[in-house]
Amino acid sequence: MSGQSRQMVLNAFLSLNHLGSWRHPDGDPERHKFSFYKKAAQIAERGKMDMFFVADKLAVFDNETLRTYSSYIRLEPISLLSALAVVTENIGLAGTLSTTYNEPYHAARKFATLDHLSGGRAAWNVVTSTNDEEARNFGRDSHMDHERRYERAREFLEVAKGLWDSWEDDAFVLDKASGVFADQCKLHVLDHVGPNFTVRGPLNAPRPPQGYPFIVFAGSSEACQELAAESGDAVFVSPESQDQARELYASFKGRMAKYGRTPDQLRILPGVLVIVGSTEEEAKEKSRFLDSLIPEALAPQGQRNKAYLWEIVGTPEQVADELQARFENGMADGFNITSPYLPGGLEEFVDHVIPVLQRRGLFRTEYEGATLRGRLGLERPANRHVVQA
């Protein structure tokens, strides 16, 4: 995508990365209620955003200070997103699932189901998990080393893709007169045997509407960059400076050709915390107030998080200027938008910043395309068992 046709990808990132956000008087701290997510998802969809992204971890940190003062409620993403599929129509539904603490058949089945229930809007944030607390919830004393995790992740994803290709699109005859439900010639058994997994298959669900759910990776390590360049549709990154953002962008894109892919087949999406005010001073005051809500015990962690987000603070026009500059100067194909509090902070972005981006031609005014892949200009992956004409 280039020139006038190139538009941003904008995701609503449902993660309270600012440690004071749950205390905001206009925020809703009860993140275990469906009403919280329903309202936020519908706000994001009203703004024509691409994806509603629910991050996940499989543990509570063994840190008494964090457990006392920070919000650590996380509902299981696939169950939550399946419910949200009923109350939304167009927005992509993205959820984290770990390749270290799941099995490929489980993952393939869950995301195929979500893709069918949502009409082709499922996205999988493929992660390998990060800490020992998670390991101890799955019968291990410590977390698997980095290289081994990514070897497992690559094989895990290949098995999942093989399972999604179990049934050809026209395999289901559904002929009531003859009693033939499916054409067995169009059913394929995987019979995968590898260093990490032995999976026979086939999957007991039809091929997803998107072929494969939209595939996302998160991170910037060498192993992550290679896997994203090989198999990803997008990558979530957290550069600590604009120079690093440019370097990461060029590095990811520069790896695509060796996998027979073009640079525009992988979208680079940094995370940003956006604080909007009617004036610049109002926005800065909002930022100062948010920082004042960080408990003193968490102040050092709060400073690290601020560096991790390089927040954007300003009027709608100033925020749009900054996003546009990063988008047009080799730093991003779009952004994961983190809000200062939820769901109201997301609503401020949707109501005030997105209209500016739309007027500049940088973001859609209506949803187009039947699936998430279609809206982002990506072809539906071919089934490996079908000879292409």
Side-chain angles (χ1 to χ4, degrees), residues 309-366:
L309 296 167
W310 46 286
E311 63 190 30
I312 301 177
V313 180
T315 65
E317 290 75 17
Q318 288 172 326
V319 171
D321 288 346
E322 185 62 32
L323 294 176
Q324 182 174 357
R326 300 181 192 193
F327 176 68
E328 292 180 343
N329 289 285
M331 288 180 261
D333 295 310
F335 304 91
N336 280 328
I337 302 299
T338 299
S339 301
Y341 61 95
L342 292 165
L346 176 61
E347 192 162 33
E348 291 175 348
F349 181 81
V350 163
D351 289 346
H352 301 296
V353 179
I354 284 182
V356 179
L357 296 172
Q358 290 171 328
R359 287 195 295 271
R360 298 179 185 183
L362 293 168
F363 192 64
R364 70 170 64 82
T365 56
E366 295 295 339

Side-chain angles (χ1 to χ4, degrees), residues 6-78:
R6 184 170 180 255
Q7 292 188 325
M8 293 180 184
V9 176
L10 292 177
N11 301 332
F13 183 24
L14 264 285
S15 180
L16 295 176
N17 281 324
H18 193 290
L19 293 176
S21 59
W22 73 268
R23 299 180 67 196
H24 196 286
D26 295 327
D28 184 351
E30 296 190 295
R31 295 177 54 131
H32 57 288
K33 293 183 177 180
F34 180 66
S35 58
F36 171 90
Y37 296 95
K38 176 183 176 182
K39 184 174 183 179
Q42 291 178 336
I43 289 169
E45 186 166 67
R46 175 162 57 78
K48 315 300 180 187
M49 298 182 81
D50 290 275
M51 286 184 275
F52 186 81
F53 170 40
V54 179
D56 195 30
K57 288 188 184 294
L58 297 169
V60 174
F61 287 127
D62 288 340
N63 181 308
E64 186 174 344
T65 301
L66 282 173
R67 292 189 301 192
T68 300
Y69 295 105
S70 64
S71 171
Y72 215 80
I73 297 298
R74 296 180 185 271
L75 299 185
E76 193 282 308
I78 308 306

Side-chain angles (χ1 to χ4, degrees), residues 185-204:
C185 294
K186 297 184 178 183
L187 168 64
H188 304 280
V189 177
L190 182 61
D191 274 335
H192 174 88
V193 179
N196 296 286
F197 305 105
T198 300
V199 182
R200 183 175 186 272
L203 193 66
N204 59 347

